[in-house]
Amino acid sequence: MDNREEEKDSSLKKKTAKGLFFGGLSNAIQQIIGFLFGLYVARNLLSPSDYGTISLLTIFALIATAFQESGFVMGLVNKREVSHKDYNAVFWCSLSISTLLYIALFFLAPFIADFYEKEELTALSRFLFISFWLGSFSIAHNAYLYRHLMVAERSIVMLSALIVSNIAGLIFAYYGFAYWSLAIQTVVYTFVSSSMFFYFSKFRPTLHIDFSPIKDIYKFSSKILITNIFIHINNNIYASVLGKFFSKQQIGFISQASKWNNMGQSLITNMINNVIQPVLNQIHDDENRQVRVFRKLLNFTSFVAFIMLFGLAAVADDFIRITLTDKWIESARYVRILCIGGAFATINNVFSNLILTKGQSSIYMFNIVGFGILQFLILILCKDFGLELSIMLISALNLLWIFIWYVIVKRFIAFGLMQLISDVFTYVFLAGIACAAAAFLSQSISLLFVRFSTCILASGVFYLLLNKIFKPDILTEIINFAKGSLITKK
């Protein structure tokens, strides 16, 4: 490797380290803030039925958001050259689509309420759906920040919106607005984030509207649109599919369990997603470098994801009792299963991002759609046997899907089965052993807080020791990432 290549590698490492550092720090703070606000509201102000009610509508708002965004963010990020004309076309196209969608959903609201046999959903949905319309104002600006690796600015946007919206939700919940407070929280979040994306982005829309760039962007983004719809369905499938067959309280329990699993997942995936596509696209023409960077990101994801989510699964009962009290204890068994499947889902996210950098949005789409269809069939066919069996099968499907992605990825890069085992499944075994040993060690402790703390601490210590023995390189890489981030920051 000559000096010029070494300088490129060093620069890329610094950018990646900075992105991971700010992305990780931001996501950690976001999760803590969301955790604390959500904890207080769920313990003291809202019931499982309130969460179940809002969960029935979440999928409609998210699908509408996917349509208004139409994959434009990824389309702009993966386009080789982007000008003001491209951003302007995306801005006006997103706004037009979301306006038409809101009008349509406004008149469809009574039919949604009739389907779930809950009259209150009509007015609630009409208000909640305002959130995706407000979000359309920030699509192009978000893409600008993402494309230019402005991770710190995006982090400030998300944190500010989260704090303001949680305060608003807390106030309205305190004054007895019940599930309306959750809808208000969502709308406030979108308004604040859209405003701040506009502030930080250098792009400013103009009235010279030309939709011609959309055709070129849409070749890539149309697949992302379909994929995003299925991703939203996959992530919110329990309430949307089972809301017809189970009570609001039961849907509330599964939604709360999904929330904790998604918080753990998003802490990892959002951190990785902040950097993976922009970084891999920068070295698109150098396959060897791309493979090295991809494997390091895969190792990092595996190292963090499995111990975090397996650890949460190990302490699920104590975690729910401490945080949400016994009134939510039924959700603990769902948390345990979802977290195991969620850990494997974070790995699938890394594979899917690599496929997108190869321009294979069709493969990405069909893979996500196929997973969604199978997940839907599992829920429908197994609903009479209880939620637990369905969730177990879907968690197993997440594990199986790693091998589906592996078969696809190896067609585009030099990535063998032994590398998959080394980069992913080694951490599965190490995290599994660490968490099982910690659970066994702490099970005889009768004091709730002591048992919970002991299990968490022991899991971490055992895991680091096992990694020091079997995978010492990952600890060195993480230390170097942290050093690189701090050096870059200075």
Side-chain angles (χ1 to χ4, degrees):
M1 186 182 290
D2 59 30
N3 290 335
R4 197 178 341 180
E5 287 183 334
E6 286 180 0
E7 288 177 5
K8 286 181 179 178
D9 265 353
S10 177
S11 175
L12 188 64
K13 283 180 181 178
K14 287 180 180 179
K15 286 182 180 179
T16 306
K18 182 180 179 181
L20 286 172
F21 176 79
F22 278 112
L25 180 62
S26 169
N27 278 293
I29 295 172
Q30 287 180 56
Q31 298 301 340
I32 291 170
I33 292 171
F35 170 80
L36 293 175
F37 276 99
L39 179 63
Y40 181 80
V41 171
R43 282 174 66 102
N44 302 296
L45 302 174
L46 299 182
S47 68
S49 295
D50 291 325
Y51 282 92
T53 299
I54 203 71
S55 296
L56 297 175
L57 295 175
T58 301
I59 189 63
F60 296 99
L62 290 173
I63 290 176
T65 300
F67 272 107
Q68 59 131 70
E69 194 267 341
S70 296
F72 289 141
V73 172
M74 291 303 175
L76 287 170
V77 169
N78 284 278
K79 192 177 181 185
R80 292 288 175 246
E81 300 291 334
V82 179
S83 65
H84 176 273
K85 187 178 179 180
D86 297 300
Y87 287 114
N88 204 52
V90 166
F91 176 85
W92 289 109
C93 186
S94 298
L95 182 58
S96 301
I97 292 171
S98 65
T99 301
L100 293 173
L101 278 171
Y102 181 76
I103 293 171
L105 285 171
F106 183 91
F107 290 106
L108 286 173
F111 298 98
I112 296 172
D114 287 343
F115 176 77
Y116 287 114
E117 299 177 356
K118 294 172 177 61
E119 186 180 348
E120 65 271 21
L121 294 182
T122 300
L124 183 65
S125 62
R126 286 172 172 171
F127 176 77
L128 180 65
F129 295 158
I130 292 173
S131 62
F132 75 79
W133 182 78
L134 291 171
S136 67
F137 287 88
S138 66
I139 301 299
H141 301 85
N142 184 17
Y144 182 93
L145 297 183
Y146 188 25
R147 182 178 175 88
H148 290 84
L149 276 173
M150 297 171 70
V151 179
E153 289 80 359
R154 293 181 82 220
S155 299
I156 292 170
V157 171
M158 300 302 183
L159 280 171
S160 302
L162 185 68
I163 292 170
V164 175
S165 64
N166 272 286
I167 291 173
L170 180 61
I171 291 171
F172 281 95
Y174 179 80
Y175 283 103
F177 279 71
Y179 50 78
W180 277 96
S181 64
L182 298 173
I184 292 168
Q185 180 179 329
T186 302
V187 172
V188 171
Y189 179 90
T190 311
F191 174 77
V192 174
S193 60
S194 294
S195 302
M196 294 191 69
F197 274 128
F198 186 92
Y199 172 78
F200 282 114
S201 171
K202 292 182 180 179
F203 161 69
R204 293 293 180 266
T206 62
L207 292 175
H208 181 68
I209 303 172
D210 178 6
F211 289 125
S212 59
I214 296 297
K215 183 178 179 181
D216 185 41
I217 297 171
Y218 211 68
K219 291 177 183 176
F220 181 91
S221 67
S222 60
K223 297 0 179 262
I224 304 299
L225 163 62
I226 297 171
T227 308
N228 284 344
I229 290 172
F230 272 85
I231 287 174
H232 290 316
I233 292 172
N234 293 347
N235 291 340
N236 297 273
I237 195 166
Y238 301 108
S240 56
V241 174
L242 300 176
K244 179 73 175 175
F245 309 105
F246 292 90
S247 69
K248 286 191 294 184
Q249 186 175 43
Q250 287 175 297
I251 296 302
F253 285 132
I254 188 65
S255 297
Q256 191 67 237
S258 296
K259 172 187 171 182
W260 295 117
N261 171 53
N262 290 337
M263 284 178 70
Q265 276 187 246
S266 62
L267 178 63
I268 303 155
T269 57
N270 289 346
M271 177 169 53
I272 295 298
N273 290 349
N274 274 324
V275 299
I276 187 167
Q277 284 203 50
V279 168
L280 291 179
N281 270 308
Q282 286 185 27
I283 51 176
H284 183 270
D285 297 324
D286 189 339
E287 185 175 329
N288 289 331
R289 288 182 70 203
Q290 195 176 56
V291 170
R292 288 201 305 273
V293 172
F294 166 73
R295 289 194 62 197
K296 285 181 179 180
L297 289 170
L298 187 61
N299 269 272
F300 178 81
T301 304
S302 300
F303 174 81
V304 176
F306 289 110
I307 187 59
M308 179 182 292
L309 289 164
F310 283 11
L312 182 54
V315 296
D317 285 82
D318 290 346
F319 176 77
I320 294 298
R321 285 194 173 95
I322 290 170
T323 55
L324 300 177
T325 71
D326 282 337
K327 77 174 182 179
W328 288 95
I329 193 61
E330 190 175 335
S331 64
R333 56 195 178 113
Y334 303 136
V335 170
R336 190 177 301 108
I337 305 167
L338 286 169
C339 284
I340 293 172
F344 294 108
T346 61
I347 306 303
N348 293 329
N349 173 71
V350 179
F351 283 126
S352 65
N353 273 282
L354 175 70
I355 290 299
L356 285 175
T357 63
K358 296 296 183 180
Q360 301 298 320
S361 56
S362 294
I363 291 176
Y364 176 66
M365 176 187 71
F366 285 118
N367 205 316
I368 300 297
V369 170
F371 182 91
I373 291 172
L374 288 175
Q375 192 173 218
F376 175 81
L377 290 174
I378 287 172
L379 285 177
I380 292 297
L381 295 175
C382 298
K383 63 180 175 60
D384 294 331
F385 300 97
L387 284 172
E388 252 181 307
L389 176 62
S390 299
I391 300 171
M392 285 180 184
L393 291 174
I394 290 171
S395 292
L397 189 64
N398 273 299
L399 167 59
L400 172 65
W401 226 251
I402 288 180
F403 294 97
I404 303 295
W405 276 119
Y406 161 71
V407 171
I408 294 169
V409 163
K410 67 182 293 191
R411 292 167 48 194
F412 298 95
I413 64 170
F415 187 72
L417 182 60
M418 292 308 297
Q419 291 170 316
L420 176 68
I421 293 171
S422 174
D423 296 348
V424 177
F425 286 96
T426 301
Y427 301 102
V428 175
F429 295 122
L430 296 183
I433 292 169
C435 292
F440 178 79
L441 178 69
S442 60
Q443 67 178 349
S444 60
I445 300 173
S446 58
L447 295 174
L448 177 63
F449 283 91
V450 176
R451 182 172 65 242
F452 175 78
S453 302
T454 301
C455 190
I456 292 291
L457 181 61
S459 295
V461 171
F462 291 156
Y463 188 61
L464 290 175
L465 288 174
L466 288 169
N467 273 279
K468 188 68 175 176
I469 297 169
F470 296 103
K471 293 283 288 187
D473 291 344
I474 186 64
L475 297 176
T476 304
E477 286 289 339
I478 289 174
I479 292 169
N480 290 338
F481 265 134
K483 286 180 178 178
S485 301
L486 294 173
I487 291 170
T488 305
K489 186 180 177 183
K490 292 176 182 178

